Amino acid sequence: MPDTISFARGAPSLDIIDVDGLKEAAARAFTNDPGGTTAYGTSIGYVPLRAWIAERHSVDPSQVLVTNGSMQADAFLFDHFVSDGDAVVVERPTYDRTLLSLRGRGADVRMVELEHDGIDTSGLAQLLGDGLKPTLAHIIPNFQNPAGYTLSREKRDSLLDLAREHDFVIFEDDPYVDIRFRGESLPRMLELDEDGGNVVYACSFSKTVCPGIRVGYLVGQADLIGRIVKRATSTYISPSMVSQSIVNEFCRSGAIETSIATVREALRERADALAAALERELPDARFVAPDGGYFLWVDLPEAIDVDELHVAAAERGVQFVKGSDFMLDGGEHSLRLAYSGVTVEQIEEGVRRLAAATGALV
Ligand SMILES: Cc1ncc(COP(=O)(O)O)c(C=O)c1O
């Protein structure tokens, strides 16, 4: 059995993490602020990092809550907005952990088709017109997990109009925004929401610094953030000050910009290699080459059942996540390939193995 090549994990490879920069940031954190770095701190997060994030988003620090990874931010937000039976709109497909979190809270999860330029806003308008009253719509606007697609500017405006008209909150879950390696950035819905109150925004340092640091954050209206802070206090007193103090030093020294440039360049190369390998080895596969992020979504001919392919691929030493894991139903002929943790050589070999596994099924 050859070494397994994993397209399954949405995580970066070690070579694109600035380990030396992190070591230096850690040394500075303990030297420059030993008290703040080692204390419990406050539930809103490490104050200087909160200030840095607020400045980046041109908002008041009272609008920011820094958490242990954005997953924790998601959990606080879902706890706040979602009670048993509440309708919540998500994209189809969507991040599998979002589906699990919402179902675990008893939400009435309504999946709305994800198109190449983002969620089908006409389909959503139809559902709302038919009487659906969601408390929240969870949207991953940039380089969506799992599909890699990006929400167009027009659809950002339409979603905001729908949120205002039908009185729901858009949860803009945006961990991949900085990993754009092609094309123009689009404005955040958080910024487009001029009156405020219809968007809560989450982001993360997992893709720009490293996932093990577990630092993410929420931006929203100050009163909402204030209410969520109370949940944070009762959950963990405070998030990890050590991690946040290190991230603060990493950001303020400018190391984060270098790190983002490294990640973008590597992922552009990997995404291009993956697209080229798929075209060469699996000509029947349909996909959209991503402009950023970690993921590429592949639709295969209906003759290929993804459960069977998963087994045949594992036998040949290649892993991916089945499309069906990202939906309540369907996805049987689709798969998600993560190119963030594999080298160009592994991508080429991995796609050869995937093609062999596909060939064995037809
Ligand atoms: C859409 C989305 N939201 C949230 C997360 C969680 O990120 P974090 O590592 O900040 O908890 C991920 C991680 O893959 C993600 O893809």
Side-chain angles (χ1 to χ4, degrees), residues 291-340:
D291 291 334
Y294 277 16
F295 307 110
L296 186 149
W297 180 261
V298 179
D299 290 313
L300 293 169
E302 296 208 346
I304 305 291
D305 177 273
V306 82
D307 284 327
E308 290 172 19
L309 183 61
H310 200 251
V311 175
E315 284 166 4
R316 288 162 179 80
V318 63
Q319 295 174 333
F320 59 82
V321 183
K322 296 183 276 186
S324 47
D325 286 2
F326 304 99
M327 304 182 190
L328 296 177
D329 55 66
E332 293 94 354
H333 314 293
S334 304
L335 48 113
R336 184 192 79 175
L337 298 176
Y339 49 83
S340 51

Side-chain angles (χ1 to χ4, degrees), residues 10 69-71 74 95 140 145 173 175-176 204 206-207 214:
S70 66
M71 217 42 225
D74 296 12
Y95 182 36
I140 307 166
N145 181 4
D173 187 4
Y176 303 99
S204 173
S206 290
K207 324 294 168 186
R214 305 310 297 129

Side-chain angles (χ1 to χ4, degrees), residues 54 164 168:
R164 282 187 206 111
F168 62 86

